[in-house]
Every structure is written in structure tokens, then in C-alpha cells.
Amino acid sequence: MVRMRNTKGANATEIEKKIKRGNALRQGSAWRGHRGLMVLLLVALSVCGAALWLYVTSLDSDITETLVRQGELVSAQPRVYTVQCSEDYENYKRYPGCTPQRCGRAVTDSVVTREEAQVLRRLAERGLALAGSEGGASILDLHSGALSMGKQFVNIYRYFGDQIGDVFTQEDFQLYRDVRGRIQAVIAETFGLDPTLMYLTKPTFFSRINSTAAKTQHDEYWHPHIDKVTYGSFDYTSLLYLSDYGSDFSGGRFVFMDQNGNRTVEPRAGRVSFFSSGSENLHRVEKVTWGTRYAITVSFTCDPAHAISDPALP
């Protein structure tokens, strides 16, 4: 009986040892499995991080210099970058006091407030909500009434008739006119012009750009171009940004393409960027990669024959 109890005791002890050894092996195996998963996860994160870094750096790879960053505030006087005038203006009638003699590009954040930019953005959102392009770029021209609709354009004043009064207000149009006047004044002061000899010209329009694939040539906003060549009436071009680079959208920076490198301006709501329109300011806009970029292009001519009036509600 004693030997049987000792034998049973020995067997129980042996069983306990085997159980403990089995648990230990399972725990070790589980740890090795978890460790393997952690290693795989770290590798995946490293690969993703490297891919993201390569993607971000590729976006900046063709940018030589950032003239003004989104987070900067250019107050008081505009930040001016002088460039030599091209010969483009020799092919057109010259208008003393207006035709560019001093050429360049400039940026200011003191002409339009961010609050005013928000009001103008809401105006653009309401107008563009009436239709919009099937591709990534839509325009709204309050002067001619042109509005992107699918793959074509319609005249909002004729197409929507009296309903336009429910979309826009007289206050909206008054702010638009006031802002246009301020932009005209700062361009004249910066380039030493007589503002009374400058005239608003077409096209002057709101733009909404997102990452949707282009459906027509009108959606392909990213091609390099010269405003004076594309639109012969242009002498000075300006852009008023209504959204912020980096928080409202990515990509979409304005790029001046110079012989010795590319220089960019990062959009900021309320920021006005303006420049002489000749080939001294060849430029393009980066493709928007996410979000939505809103802006107004406001254009001026020295030729009164190409002047347009400020918009007004019918």
C-alpha cells in the first residue's frame, strides 16, 4: 500500500512537471508567435514610412525655393521679387502708365482678411454647388455667368433665372467689388502704375480644384503656361486664395518655373499673389492630391478695349 501511494505520488509529480513543461512550451511558442507578428508589423510600418517619405519628397523634388510658406504672415508691405521683363509686351500696343516696365511677382497677406476670404469661399461654394465639373476643376465666373456643369458650361443667370437671388446677395457682390479694387490698388502701387489706367479683364473667376481625375481638357489645370500668351489681354494676374495649403488640401501650390529653378507660393486663405503676365512668369499649379482648393483669379489689362465691368446681380 505504501509502495502504491509512493508510486501514485511519483506519477502525480511527473504529470505536474509535464503540465508545467507543456505550459512553458506553449507560452514560449505564443511569445515567439507574438514576437514574429511584432517584427512583421515593425517591418510593415518601416516600409510604409519609407514609401510616405519618398512620396512627400517627390512632391518637393522640383521645388528649388519656397517664396512664402503657408504659415508665414506677409503683413504691411508686399514681399516683392523682381524679374526682368520679357519681350512679350513688344508685340502689343503700349500704354504709358500701365504696360509693364518693372516686372516681377509679389505676395501680400494684408489686402484681404481671412474673414473676408471665408465669406468669398462660402459664396463660391454656394455657386459651384449648383453644378460643377465632372473632373477635378470647376469654375464660376460672376462676370459672364459661366459655370462648369458636367463637361460643359452654362450661364447661371439664364439657366437659373430668379433663383440666383436665393444663392447670392447684394452684400456678396459688394464685397467682391471691394476686394477687386483693393487688389488693383496694391498691384498699381507695387509696380508703379496709374490704377485708373488698369482695367479688369476676362477671364476673372472662382476656381474649385480637387483630386478627381480630369474628364476634359478644361480640367487639366496643371500644365505650364504664360498668361500673356494664353490670354493676349492679360498684363497683370492675381490670385486670391480662399483655403489653406496643408489643412484644407495638399498639392495645389503655385509654381513659378524659372530657368534656374522652380519657386512656389503656398496658398493661405486671404493671401494675394500677383505678377506681371508675360513669359518672365511662366507658371503652373501642382495637382491637388487631397482636399479642395478654392481661389479667385483676378486679371487686369492695359487695353481699355478688353475691359469688363464688375458683376452685379440681375
Side-chain angles (χ1 to χ4, degrees):
M1 290 289 291
V2 171
R3 281 200 301 271
M4 287 177 66
R5 282 196 296 270
N6 288 340
T7 301
K8 288 181 180 178
N11 289 339
T13 301
E14 188 65 26
I15 290 171
E16 287 178 3
K17 288 180 180 180
K18 288 182 178 180
I19 291 172
K20 289 180 180 179
R21 188 160 53 246
N23 288 337
L25 288 172
R26 282 193 294 273
Q27 289 175 356
S29 176
W31 162 245
R32 284 192 295 274
H34 289 312
R35 185 172 58 183
L37 288 173
M38 289 178 66
V39 169
L40 287 173
L41 180 59
L42 288 172
V43 170
L45 288 173
S46 299
V47 170
C48 290
L52 178 61
W53 182 84
L54 287 171
Y55 172 72
V56 171
T57 54
S58 69
L59 294 178
D60 294 333
S61 61
D62 66 343
I63 301 300
T64 306
E65 180 184 1
T66 299
L67 299 179
V68 184
R69 297 189 180 280
Q70 189 279 332
E72 295 182 71
L73 184 63
V74 183
S75 56
Q77 298 301 313
R79 188 176 298 178
V80 182
Y81 303 87
T82 302
V83 295
Q84 184 176 354
C85 291
S86 65
E87 297 179 356
D88 298 350
Y89 309 102
E90 302 298 329
N91 300 321
Y92 297 85
K93 182 179 178 180
R94 301 188 70 83
Y95 294 88
C98 182
T99 297
Q101 299 292 314
R102 293 161 44 194
C103 295
R105 55 199 66 153
V107 181
T108 179
D109 293 319
S110 62
V111 171
V112 180
T113 67
R114 287 178 69 83
E115 291 73 23
E116 289 172 328
Q118 289 172 358
V119 173
L120 291 170
R121 173 173 169 169
R122 288 194 290 270
L123 185 162
E125 288 173 338
R126 293 196 304 273
L128 288 162
L130 296 173
S133 168
E134 292 179 1
S138 299
I139 72 160
L140 168 64
D141 184 338
L142 294 179
H143 302 266
S144 68
L147 171 68
S148 300
M149 178 177 281
K151 295 181 180 180
Q152 57 187 0
F153 297 93
V154 297
N155 186 302
I156 56 171
Y157 302 122
R158 290 199 298 266
Y159 194 87
F160 295 100
D162 295 339
Q163 296 176 19
I164 286 298
D166 299 327
V167 180
F168 305 126
T169 66
Q170 293 292 351
E171 290 75 17
D172 291 333
F173 276 60
Q174 185 59 53
L175 176 59
Y176 182 90
R177 291 190 290 267
D178 290 346
V179 166
R180 188 274 305 159
R182 281 181 251 159
I183 293 173
Q184 183 170 342
V186 75
I187 293 174
E189 182 179 359
T190 301
F191 289 112
L193 313 173
D194 182 345
T196 65
L197 299 177
M198 298 170 60
Y199 305 93
L200 192 66
T201 193
K202 61 180 181 182
T204 287
F205 57 92
F206 289 89
S207 60
R208 181 187 68 193
I209 303 175
N210 57 38
S211 59
T212 304
K215 298 295 190 299
T216 71
Q217 188 176 4
H218 296 296
D219 298 321
E220 298 180 6
Y221 57 85
W222 55 81
H223 297 297
H225 63 279
I226 300 162
D227 288 346
K228 189 67 177 172
V229 174
T230 305
Y231 312 103
S233 63
F234 278 36
D235 288 299
Y236 301 94
T237 308
S238 69
L239 290 103
L240 167 58
Y241 296 108
L242 306 179
S243 48
D244 290 319
Y245 170 76
S247 56
D248 293 321
F249 64 93
S250 184
R253 293 179 297 179
F254 191 96
V255 181
F256 291 104
M257 304 176 69
D258 300 326
Q259 289 185 348
N260 61 348
N262 294 333
R263 294 168 173 84
T264 186
V265 173
E266 294 182 351
R268 171 189 173 93
R271 172 166 290 167
V272 178
S273 174
F274 56 94
F275 52 93
S276 50
S277 303
S279 56
E280 68 275 3
N281 281 315
L282 171 68
H283 61 273
R284 65 181 178 86
V285 175
E286 292 178 321
K287 288 185 178 182
V288 170
T289 54
W290 62 262
T292 305
R293 175 191 188 268
Y294 285 92
I296 311 175
T297 298
V298 185
S299 316
F300 296 95
T301 184
C302 298
D303 186 348
H306 292 286
I308 62 173
S309 301
D310 283 319
L313 277 175

